[in-house]
Amino acid sequence: EFFRELLENAERSLNEMFVRTYGMLYMQNSEVFQDLFTELKRYYTGGNVNLEEMLNDFWARLLERMFQLINPQYHFSEDYLECVSKYTDQLKPFGDVPRKLKVQVTRAFIAARTFVQGLTVGREVANRVSKVSPTPGCIRALMKMLYCPYCRGLPTVKPCNNYCLNVMKGCLANQADLDTEWNLFIDAMLLVAERLEGPFNIESVMDPIDVKISEAIMNMQENSMQVSAKVFQGCGQPKPAPALRSSRSVAENFNTRFRPYNPEERPTTAAGTSLDRLVTDIKEKLKLSKKFWSALPYTMCKDERVTAGPSVEEDCWNGHTKARYLPEIMNDGLTNQINNPEVDVDITRPDTFIRQQIMALRVMTNKLKNAYNGNDVNFQDTSDETSGSGSGSGCTDDICPTEFDFVTTEAPPVDSDRREVEASATQPRCSLQTLLIILLSLVLQRWWR
């Protein structure tokens, strides 16, 4: 929203300044500038726009219009004007402004668009992962942890912190495998953020773009005789224009010099802030989200509404009675859950949907690295990268309900220690599934806001 408003302000500022400075001449040729901003907006919103070609076309069109204005005594055909535009790079009629502006605009827009797309991908991945259904083994473990104290006459005793950690590490084993690619993604986002703070800050590029374009126009005006002579030499002598038109002089076409607005006259964004402040704030949040997925069990289990807390080790529910929880805490990730004492986890069957989100992060990370190096990025395939089906939710955001049933054709394993648990697991299954999804969603929303 900030970037879109920034572009609209820049266009409005240029339009107001050029109307005041060049009057009717600008209004008669305003579509050249309007098309420039239209293409910039289209690029920023994901359109298939080649920035360098678009900017080259802008300066070529501007040269054609300017060349006619500084030579009103001649008539120029379409073919002749096309020949004129071919001399843009050779003659440099606008000085060094087009070259400098091309570098600044392309780097700034590539960085800004990719950074915003990265934020979108991060949010989408978090939202999709928050909707992944818990496995039957996870539901049984949650029921044992949260409901069995009531059956044992201990309704006020909360689960031990370490007990909760093993349950959550088993339940969120696949989510923890996001951590490596997520951290690389965050590092890449922070790199691109540096571009937004440096010389290719899109705000510092777009804010004075009206002044830079006018500087180029004045350079063309001052060198009009030399430019015209070289064009006539290369494209041939044009035909004289009718007498009425040829009587107009260059001075009548450009009777004023450019007068830029004072800084306080420039429009501001509705957000009432600068890009520097926004990027600084986002960077801090990005840094805090490092190792988010591996820390998720700890974040959830330290909630006093869920467990007794790390400081209470004796007077807590350990899965069997009110006592200390003795088993060791499992490491993070799917493969480390093979000996999880609380959750039955099939480490041979990674969640396909989670793996698709890992791939989406990997693709976005590569795009961020390209953007950091100034290479343009194509986002035409982003919808395919972050969607698909798998053993998780198996659907996209557009068709996923808020809650859904987990469907499995695999019979859950049964052992003697869990028969009591499984016998009473049917009733609270839906509420437990909803509880885990709600807890996960709340944590994700808090971190990725």
Side-chain angles (χ1 to χ4, degrees):
E1 184 65 31
F2 176 86
F3 290 126
R4 184 166 59 251
E5 194 174 351
L6 184 67
L7 284 175
E8 291 173 353
N9 282 346
E11 182 178 14
R12 184 163 56 251
S13 177
L14 182 143
N15 183 65
E16 292 173 357
M17 293 181 187
F18 276 37
V19 166
R20 188 176 71 170
T21 303
Y22 300 115
M24 188 59 66
L25 283 177
Y26 168 71
M27 297 173 67
Q28 291 172 345
N29 299 276
S30 61
E31 74 275 7
V32 176
F33 304 91
Q34 291 170 358
D35 289 347
L36 169 66
F37 283 95
T38 297
E39 289 299 287
L40 288 174
K41 291 174 187 175
R42 193 162 73 87
Y43 173 85
Y44 175 72
T45 55
N48 186 19
V49 178
N50 185 305
L51 283 176
E52 290 196 9
E53 290 181 4
M54 183 271 294
L55 290 170
N56 289 339
D57 182 62
F58 165 74
W59 292 112
R61 290 179 64 194
L62 186 58
L63 174 59
E64 292 178 12
R65 299 297 178 94
M66 288 286 298
F67 194 76
Q68 293 177 82
L69 291 173
I70 63 177
N71 293 286
Q73 68 274 31
Y74 296 109
H75 169 73
F76 300 102
S77 65
E78 291 296 325
D79 291 340
Y80 196 97
L81 291 175
E82 185 176 347
C83 178
V84 172
S85 66
K86 294 178 180 178
Y87 280 83
T88 306
D89 291 335
Q90 179 181 341
L91 296 178
K92 292 187 174 16
F94 300 110
D96 206 29
V97 174
R99 184 191 65 81
K100 291 180 178 178
L101 201 59
K102 182 192 296 185
V103 173
Q104 293 172 338
V105 168
T106 53
R107 296 296 289 270
F109 271 77
I110 288 171
R113 184 175 79 158
T114 310
F115 187 76
V116 171
Q117 183 68 18
L119 290 174
T120 301
V121 169
R123 184 181 66 247
E124 288 176 351
V125 167
N127 286 339
R128 289 187 173 112
V129 171
S130 72
K131 295 176 183 178
V132 173
S133 292
T135 63
C138 171
I139 292 175
R140 288 193 298 272
L142 281 172
M143 192 279 293
K144 181 181 177 182
M145 182 177 77
L146 297 175
Y147 285 86
C148 283
Y150 293 87
C151 304
R152 297 295 177 86
L154 302 170
T156 61
V157 179
K158 294 182 178 180
C160 300
N161 184 73
N162 290 353
Y163 174 33
C164 174
L165 287 175
N166 273 343
V167 172
M168 290 303 177
K169 287 198 175 195
C171 286
L172 303 174
N174 282 283
Q175 285 85 338
D177 285 344
L178 280 162
D179 217 45
T180 299
E181 204 61 51
W182 178 267
N183 292 339
L184 293 173
F185 162 73
I186 296 299
D187 287 338
M189 286 287 291
L190 291 171
L191 279 176
V192 176
E194 292 180 8
R195 293 290 187 229
L196 298 179
E197 294 178 314
F200 303 114
N201 176 327
I202 191 172
E203 189 172 32
S204 63
V205 169
M206 292 306 298
D207 192 48
I209 195 170
D210 44 15
V211 177
K212 294 177 181 178
I213 293 176
S214 186
E215 178 187 335
I217 291 174
M218 288 189 292
N219 191 80
M220 169 80 177
Q221 178 185 349
E222 291 168 355
N223 297 284
S224 59
M225 294 183 65
Q226 299 93 312
V227 171
S228 297
K230 290 181 180 179
V231 170
F232 294 160
Q233 183 179 359
C235 298
Q237 190 69 23
K239 296 178 181 180
L244 181 63
R245 181 183 174 188
S246 61
S247 63
R248 297 169 60 193
S249 67
V250 175
E252 289 173 324
N253 282 320
F254 293 98
N255 54 14
T256 56
R257 299 288 289 183
F258 184 74
R259 301 185 305 275
Y261 278 179
N262 293 325
E264 58 268 18
E265 296 177 15
R266 292 188 175 277
T268 58
T269 62
T273 186
S274 69
L275 181 62
D276 289 337
R277 287 195 293 272
L278 282 175
V279 172
T280 298
D281 181 56
I282 294 173
K283 280 175 63 179
E284 290 304 312
K285 291 182 178 179
L286 288 172
K287 290 175 183 177
L288 290 173
S289 70
K290 287 285 292 285
K291 298 184 178 180
F292 170 78
W293 300 100
S294 59
L296 196 52
Y298 297 90
T299 304
M300 298 177 77
C301 288
K302 74 179 181 181
D303 192 321
E304 62 182 11
R305 294 171 296 179
V306 178
T307 70
S311 61
V312 182
E313 296 183 357
E314 301 293 342
D315 299 328
C316 57
W317 172 251
N318 66 5
H320 301 281
T321 186
K322 180 181 177 182
R324 178 187 292 268
Y325 182 74
L326 298 177
E328 64 176 340
I329 300 175
M330 298 293 99
N331 290 324
D332 303 317
L334 183 63
T335 57
N336 290 316
Q337 305 311 309
I338 188 171
N339 294 317
N340 191 309
E342 308 304 333
V343 186
D344 292 322
V345 181
D346 186 353
I347 67 170
T348 66
R349 297 181 61 184
D351 188 292
T352 307
F353 187 70
I354 296 290
R355 290 317 185 263
Q356 289 173 348
Q357 306 315 304
I358 292 174
M359 182 56 66
L361 289 172
R362 187 171 299 159
V363 170
M364 190 64 234
T365 298
N366 288 334
K367 291 180 177 180
L368 288 163
K369 289 178 179 177
N370 281 328
Y372 177 76
N373 293 323
N375 301 321
D376 208 348
V377 178
N378 180 14
F379 288 114
Q380 298 303 308
D381 56 349
T382 51
S383 60
D384 296 330
E385 290 160 7
T386 55
S387 63
S389 61
S391 59
S393 66
C395 54
T396 63
D397 284 344
D398 294 334
I399 60 175
C400 278
T402 304
E403 299 174 16
F404 45 86
D405 293 329
F406 181 86
V407 180
T408 179
T409 57
E410 180 185 6
V414 179
D415 59 46
S416 58
D417 294 334
R418 299 180 186 270
R419 282 175 185 160
E420 179 185 350
V421 172
E422 291 171 3
S424 58
T426 305
Q427 292 295 327
R429 177 182 178 118
C430 292
S431 60
L432 283 167
Q433 176 175 328
T434 304
L435 174 63
L436 181 61
I437 291 176
I438 290 174
L439 285 173
L440 183 57
S441 299
L442 288 174
V443 174
L444 287 168
Q445 290 171 11
R446 185 178 67 186
W447 278 83
W448 199 247
R449 233 181 340 221

